[in-house]
Amino acid sequence: MSQAPEGPQGTGRGPDDPDGPGHPLTEHTLESEDRTEGGGMGASRRDRRRARRTARRNARKALPWWRRAIPTWRMAVSGLLGVVLLGVGAFVTMYMLVTVPDPNAAATAQSNVYYYSDGKTELGRTGQTNRISVPIDQISVNVQHAAVSAEDRTFYSNNGVSLSGTLRAAWDTLSGKGLQGGSTITQQYVKNYYLTQDQTVSRKAKEFFISLKVDQTESKDQIMAGYLNTSYFGRNAYGIQAAAQAYYGVNASQLTVPQSAYLAALLQAPSAFDVGTATQAGRTAAVARWNYVLDGMVKLGWVSQSDRGAMAFPATKPAGATPGVSGQAGYLIDIADQYLNDNNIVDPASLAAGGWKITTTFVKKNQDALAASVKKEFSDQLPNTAKAKDVRAAGSSVDPATGRIVAAYGGPNYATQQFNDATRTDIQVGSTFKAFDLAAGLQNNATTQDGRTITPSTVYDGTSGRPVQGLSGGRSYAPPNEDGQDYGPISLRYAMVKSVNSVYAQEAVDAGLDNVRKAAIAAGLPQDTPDMSANNPALALGVATPSAIQMAGAYATLDNHGQQITPWSVQALSHDGEARALPAHQTTQAFDRGTADAVTSVLEDVVSPNGTGYVADGLGRPAAGKTGTTDDNKSAWFIGYTPELVTSVGLFAEDPTTHARLSLGDAAGVTRVNGGSFPAQIWTDYMNTALGDSPVQDFTLQAPVDTSTSIPSSTPSTTSPTPTPPATATPTPSFTLPPTPTPTFTTAPPTPTPTPTPTQSATSAPPTAAALPNQTGQP
């Protein structure tokens, strides 16, 4: 047997060894192949390179498949180099294409200016008005250092961007987590001053490249000044100067190290970290952030450890009113802003950017008169006690022919009470709801339990605590009258005059509780009004909680002969001198005119010497209205109208800490506050001033209107006999609900701006109320 030849002495390698001299890939083999291909000493260098490449390809083809799948080092280096070159090319292209834009509107925004209905008298100002830009030499070095410690500790050494932070933020945006942090101070300045707050990757990319250019063209001092002048610090303070005044009552140049550290901490969460208004958790987080900023200033060498150890958290001044909205202005601006937002005319973000001129429907004479009447006929009459300060008022005045809100009362002063009581929906309206009970019965030609058609003269049993007949499911309901008074057999008209609960609880069931709910909605109350369920028989006596504005609008439907117009508060709008379109105000025939006029006729008798609203008879003009007082005297209302004006007035008392309802009588220092007392007194005084010397108008009611208020001689049946069919067939219930509030624009509407998820609306959510009683309805 032959033996395979060995390799060179000591190697132990044979010709089959890939690294041996006999293997095809050895140097000798390559040289042999070079000579075969015409290489050798006489071959050109190019031919030799070609031969080597050919040999390498052939050698790679001879390898197993799995080995060929692994890139060679030459392939890997070439691919990586290509990617790098493409990235550099794209970076250079983007850098060249992206230019530094002009400052955005938010950075240079003017205030929003609101006017009374005359378009000339200024009502108030909002927007980014509380900003005074100051140069860097008027900004304390302490706050400059604190901002760096809080937001970007490499600010003075970086090139204006953080690549890792930008990539992380872009990834978070793409993965649905929203736009995240990670920006440098320069990037935040660019976002605030040149770009927008849009949460998109494209905006983030622009921010990155513009920041690179800004860092090359502006000094660090210029960037720092721009950043501090455009940042929001809470309390409607835009910029460091406004923040220094809002929190400490000093100029930006006077800020101490502890104060500067707190203001820098606010940059992360202005509202949540405001120790004057934040929750306990928010205050704890704010102090923790303050400590973080100070520790950073020590680490960066701007504060000594000994000085740091001696520092205490700086107390802030109490949160004050937003400039330009104190007094009644803030409440009216809230109403206007809510109208613009609810009708998709201007969203909160666009309003916050400023530059809007808004002419409201509020008449200064009416507004001043309403505020003065509340003070004169109510506030000044209360005892000087702590409890009396818990009593609050809500009111609204509406033109029934147009739906314009001409006045509203949301509180005594926006500077001390920023929650708007005119728009809150957690106060029971009591017996003022009985107008809708009657309207439902008349509109549907409903009948009593014994088959008699319901009209204002229909007789009912007015015995206090009489069980209501006809409730489904075996339910029982027997509401008492005020003070347990028994009236015996009385007409619906007389029962309205005296606000007899037992009668209207029964009449509402006869009319159909679902029809009562539909009547209230047709008149203008929102379908989602709290506690306005047709499953609760107490609906008839006013357990629902619409706002003062909504109730005034619903009564305006009765005053306007059944034609419903949703109340509105803005009549003209412009931005930077360009007029904007506003929605048309639709009129819907909610009730037949005969139904609406019959209810008005009945409510006229309430405002008479014999009615619960007798105080309003002092107006000396034709007027209609209804009183309302709830169980345990938790609220009291008077809603009344003349042919030309509708006004609602509501009173209630609540614990300022828990917001639980309190007894009005206890708080006011009297036995009881009825709708016919303070509310009717406020209404009468206000209407007298608002109508002034205008000609007296009579109601033009459609004839015939039954005006009988006499007590009949016969007692109506309280049982449930087999009904006798009425002479004429009862028509299908007829209600025209108000249209879905999608605005119809008189001209082309402005391009809508996406509405961000709100942290808080232009009108604050009402405080949590205590559990409401399940029946109400006193006069």
Side-chain angles (χ1 to χ4, degrees), residues 365 619 621 686-696:
K365 170 190 172 184
L619 179 64
R621 292 170 176 261
Y686 161 72
M687 293 289 281
N688 185 58
T689 303
L691 297 175
D693 297 329
S694 62
V696 174

Side-chain angles (χ1 to χ4, degrees), residues 275-453:
V275 294
T277 59
T279 62
Q280 182 59 48
R283 289 191 289 271
T284 300
V287 174
R289 182 69 174 173
W290 175 77
N291 282 312
Y292 167 81
V293 176
L294 286 177
D295 291 343
M297 295 178 75
V298 172
K299 185 176 181 180
L300 294 170
W302 290 322
V303 176
S304 68
Q305 187 62 56
S306 60
D307 288 344
R308 162 72 180 92
M311 291 178 184
F313 188 84
T316 64
K317 59 185 290 189
T322 301
V325 297
S326 59
Q328 293 296 303
Y331 305 118
L332 305 185
I333 289 171
D334 275 350
I335 295 168
D337 286 352
Q338 183 174 339
Y339 173 78
L340 294 173
N341 183 48
D342 289 350
N343 289 278
N344 299 316
I345 303 167
V346 184
D347 61 76
S350 297
L351 277 174
W356 295 91
K357 178 181 177 181
I358 301 165
T359 302
T360 69
T361 59
F362 305 115
V363 179
K364 191 175 189 310
K365 170 190 172 184
N366 294 62
Q367 185 61 38
D368 291 345
L370 183 56
S373 294
V374 172
K375 184 176 185 302
K376 172 186 174 183
E377 300 295 336
F378 170 60
S379 302
D380 289 351
Q381 306 299 321
L382 296 177
N384 187 22
T385 63
K387 281 187 175 182
K389 296 178 181 178
D390 297 333
V391 185
R392 297 164 70 159
S396 179
S397 194
V398 173
D399 177 354
T402 63
R404 298 192 320 152
I405 306 173
V406 298
Y409 187 86
N413 189 333
Y414 200 76
T416 57
Q417 179 197 304
Q418 296 185 6
F419 189 82
N420 195 338
D421 289 330
T423 60
R424 69 187 300 158
T425 55
D426 61 345
I427 308 300
Q428 290 184 332
V429 296
S431 289
T432 61
F433 205 83
K434 289 173 181 172
F436 309 129
D437 299 339
L438 180 58
L442 299 178
Q443 180 72 14
N444 291 278
N445 287 340
T447 60
T448 65
Q449 295 292 305
D450 55 4
R452 292 172 292 120
T453 301

Side-chain angles (χ1 to χ4, degrees), residues 575-762:
H575 188 263
D576 291 337
E578 179 182 351
R580 297 297 182 92
L582 290 170
H585 306 291
Q586 300 182 14
T587 300
T588 302
Q589 191 70 42
F591 306 118
D592 293 340
R593 176 165 182 170
T595 293
D597 286 358
V599 175
T600 294
S601 171
V602 172
L603 297 183
E604 277 191 283
D605 285 343
V606 175
V607 184
S608 70
N610 295 321
T612 58
Y614 68 91
V615 170
D617 192 41
L619 179 64
R621 292 170 176 261
K626 184 68 186 77
T627 56
T629 309
T630 60
D631 282 349
D632 300 321
N633 205 198
K634 297 294 178 64
S635 61
W637 289 80
F638 184 78
I639 306 174
Y641 53 94
T642 64
E644 60 269 62
L645 193 60
V646 183
T647 300
S648 64
V649 178
L651 301 182
F652 61 98
E654 69 175 21
D655 185 285
T657 302
T658 66
H659 303 293
R661 292 288 172 269
L662 305 174
S663 167
L664 271 170
D666 290 345
V670 296
T671 303
R672 182 169 56 201
V673 176
N674 288 337
S677 59
F678 286 125
Q681 292 167 16
I682 294 170
W683 184 91
T684 306
D685 188 76
Y686 161 72
M687 293 289 281
N688 185 58
T689 303
L691 297 175
D693 297 329
S694 62
V696 174
Q697 296 186 29
D698 290 320
F699 289 107
T700 55
L701 305 181
Q702 188 180 70
V705 173
D706 180 1
T707 60
S708 172
T709 61
S710 61
I711 300 176
S713 57
S714 60
T715 302
S717 174
T718 59
T719 61
S720 301
T722 302
T724 301
T728 58
T730 301
T732 302
S734 172
F735 285 103
T736 304
L737 298 183
T740 303
T742 299
T744 301
F745 288 85
T746 54
T747 60
T751 302
T753 302
T755 302
T757 302
T759 54
Q760 194 162 355
S761 73

Side-chain angles (χ1 to χ4, degrees), residues 12-355:
R13 293 177 176 175
D16 293 331
D17 191 331
D19 293 324
H23 192 273
L25 296 182
T26 63
E27 182 180 354
H28 297 293
T29 302
L30 291 175
E31 291 177 355
S32 175
E33 290 179 356
D34 282 348
R35 289 193 294 272
T36 301
E37 295 293 330
M41 298 299 294
S44 67
R45 184 177 299 174
R46 184 179 62 182
D47 292 337
R48 288 196 298 274
R49 286 198 301 270
R50 185 183 300 115
R52 284 196 292 271
R53 286 196 298 270
T54 300
R56 284 193 293 270
R57 283 196 296 269
N58 291 335
R60 186 171 181 80
K61 290 179 180 179
L63 295 173
W65 67 268
W66 59 269
R67 180 65 180 82
R68 293 195 304 272
I70 302 174
T72 65
W73 68 269
R74 287 184 176 86
M75 294 171 62
V77 170
S78 298
L80 179 61
L81 182 60
V83 171
V84 170
L85 290 175
L86 285 175
V88 171
F91 184 90
V92 172
T93 300
M94 287 292 293
Y95 185 83
M96 297 298 293
L97 290 177
V98 174
T99 59
V100 178
D102 293 329
N104 63 38
T108 58
Q110 301 175 9
S111 62
N112 294 324
V113 184
Y114 296 77
Y115 295 91
Y116 281 103
S117 60
D118 62 7
K120 299 177 181 179
T121 306
E122 185 173 323
L123 190 161
R125 291 174 176 253
T126 65
Q128 297 180 6
T129 56
N130 195 21
R131 172 196 282 149
I132 305 172
S133 294
V134 291
I136 194 68
D137 60 3
Q138 294 182 28
I139 300 175
S140 169
V141 173
N142 295 326
V143 80
Q144 297 178 50
H145 290 167
V148 170
S149 176
E151 298 294 314
D152 180 10
R153 294 183 179 180
T154 66
F155 171 70
Y156 288 110
S157 61
N158 63 40
N159 293 321
V161 298
S162 168
L163 181 59
S164 62
T166 300
L167 292 176
R168 181 172 64 253
W171 172 253
D172 288 340
T173 299
L174 289 172
S175 60
K177 297 179 182 178
L179 199 60
Q180 304 298 313
S183 298
T184 64
I185 282 178
T186 305
Q187 287 176 274
Q188 293 181 59
Y189 161 58
V190 166
K191 177 182 66 176
N192 292 341
Y193 193 67
Y194 294 109
L195 301 175
T196 67
Q197 306 297 319
D198 293 344
Q199 297 187 13
T200 61
V201 174
S202 60
R203 198 276 296 160
K204 194 71 180 176
K206 288 181 181 179
E207 173 193 301
F208 182 87
F209 287 102
I210 293 173
S211 297
L212 285 173
K213 290 191 173 184
V214 166
D215 188 73
Q216 296 297 313
T217 57
E218 297 183 24
S219 68
K220 292 293 185 181
D221 280 352
Q222 288 176 310
I223 294 171
M224 176 59 72
Y227 170 67
L228 291 174
N229 279 320
T230 56
S231 294
Y232 181 62
F233 292 86
R235 297 193 182 183
N236 202 41
Y238 292 84
I240 189 61
Q241 174 68 10
Q245 294 176 343
Y247 288 91
Y248 296 110
V250 300
N251 292 322
S253 61
Q254 301 170 302
L255 290 168
T256 64
V257 171
Q259 292 171 342
S260 297
Y262 174 61
L263 294 182
L266 285 170
L267 291 167
Q268 187 180 69
S271 297
F273 287 175
D274 184 346
V275 294
T277 59
T279 62
Q280 182 59 48
R283 289 191 289 271
T284 300
V287 174
R289 182 69 174 173
W290 175 77
N291 282 312
Y292 167 81
V293 176
L294 286 177
D295 291 343
M297 295 178 75
V298 172
K299 185 176 181 180
L300 294 170
W302 290 322
V303 176
S304 68
Q305 187 62 56
S306 60
D307 288 344
R308 162 72 180 92
M311 291 178 184
F313 188 84
T316 64
K317 59 185 290 189
T322 301
V325 297
S326 59
Q328 293 296 303
Y331 305 118
L332 305 185
I333 289 171
D334 275 350
I335 295 168
D337 286 352
Q338 183 174 339
Y339 173 78
L340 294 173
N341 183 48
D342 289 350
N343 289 278
N344 299 316
I345 303 167
V346 184
D347 61 76
S350 297
L351 277 174

Side-chain angles (χ1 to χ4, degrees), residues 509-546:
V509 171
D510 294 346
L513 292 174
D514 188 58
N515 283 334
V516 171
R517 170 181 159 81
K518 288 179 180 178
I521 295 171
L525 299 189
Q527 296 190 38
D528 60 352
T529 297
D531 296 314
M532 199 167 71
S533 170
N535 293 322
N536 183 2
L539 169 71
L541 304 184
V543 294
T545 60

